Amino acid sequence: MSKKWKQKMFLIFPFAVLAAGMILASAFFLHTYRQIAFEHISALCETILENSPEAEPQLLAALKDYHSLTEQELRGNDYLEKYGYRAGDFCHDFTPDTVLFPILFFLAAACAFAAGIFLFHRKNRKRIADLTGYLEQVNIGAGGTLLQTQEDEYSHLQDEIYKTVTTLYQTRETAVAAKKNFA
């Protein structure tokens, strides 16, 4: 695998983890929501049939009709409001895992994303510090060597710095030699 491909993967990985975490959290929440809705409808049907066992055929027919309704037909249905009921009257006993697991999935994905970004920035800061350290060594006359590292975003800058420093050394040596010859 080439170095550039590894760098691209290093940049893409946090976003992929975040997207996967969000998809998993959404899928888990949808599954939990569907399970809760099923349990509530099942409990309602059980209560109706306990009170009126002869209503079973009508109830099953009504469930089939309900199942065939589209989302637009269901949205905004407030039939029970005319009897004084509100949405909060029915879904008040959510278990903590209903919300906890999607939040944990999202937090895990966000932490992985943040860790990837942190590692990427730390790698860049180290690379910049290495190049800056080399230039500081050159400025104080200590020489220093510019170690060749892997191919990355800073490779072109490193090459240009090396060429410039080499040219400066050659120019200085030429100037010193010219001064000696002149003297």
Side-chain angles (χ1 to χ4, degrees):
M1 187 182 289
S2 74
K3 304 246 186 233
K4 287 190 178 197
W5 178 249
K6 285 182 183 179
Q7 290 171 352
K8 287 180 183 177
M9 289 303 297
F10 189 70
L11 289 173
I12 293 171
F13 180 73
F15 292 104
V17 168
L18 183 63
M22 290 172 53
I23 289 169
L24 283 173
S26 299
F28 183 78
F29 189 74
L30 179 63
H31 170 72
T32 305
Y33 172 76
R34 285 180 175 167
Q35 185 65 34
I36 290 170
F38 175 77
E39 290 168 358
H40 280 255
I41 292 173
S42 182
L44 177 65
C45 291
E46 183 180 21
T47 304
I48 291 171
L49 291 178
E50 282 177 358
N51 293 329
S52 303
E54 69 281 354
E56 185 176 358
Q58 292 88 1
L59 181 65
L60 293 176
L63 279 174
K64 286 182 182 178
D65 289 343
Y66 168 76
H67 188 65
S68 66
L69 292 175
T70 65
E71 191 63 35
Q72 288 96 7
E73 293 171 327
L74 291 173
R75 193 174 307 269
N77 187 332
D78 56 0
Y79 179 76
L80 292 177
E81 280 188 3
K82 69 181 181 179
Y83 298 104
Y85 292 105
R86 304 228 184 301
D89 296 336
F90 295 99
C91 295
H92 50 75
D93 290 335
F94 276 114
T95 58
D97 65 330
T98 303
V99 178
L100 184 63
F101 287 129
I103 290 172
L104 289 177
F105 277 135
F106 178 77
L107 288 176
C111 287
F113 179 75
I117 295 297
F118 172 76
L119 291 173
F120 176 72
H121 284 295
R122 187 175 75 175
K123 177 185 160 202
N124 282 344
R125 283 192 305 268
K126 183 182 179 332
R127 189 77 162 102
I128 290 170
D130 290 346
L131 291 172
T132 304
Y134 171 71
L135 287 174
E136 288 171 353
Q137 291 294 319
V138 168
N139 282 339
I140 62 172
T145 59
L146 189 59
L147 298 176
Q148 181 63 27
T149 60
Q150 72 278 0
E151 191 74 22
D152 62 3
E153 306 87 38
Y154 298 102
S155 297
H156 183 69
L157 176 62
Q158 178 178 328
D159 291 343
E160 292 303 316
I161 289 172
Y162 182 76
K163 288 176 191 174
T164 303
V165 168
T166 303
T167 303
L168 288 173
Y169 276 137
Q170 290 172 349
T171 303
R172 188 182 77 183
E173 288 174 6
T174 304
V176 169
K179 184 178 176 182
K180 283 183 183 178
N181 287 341
F182 184 69

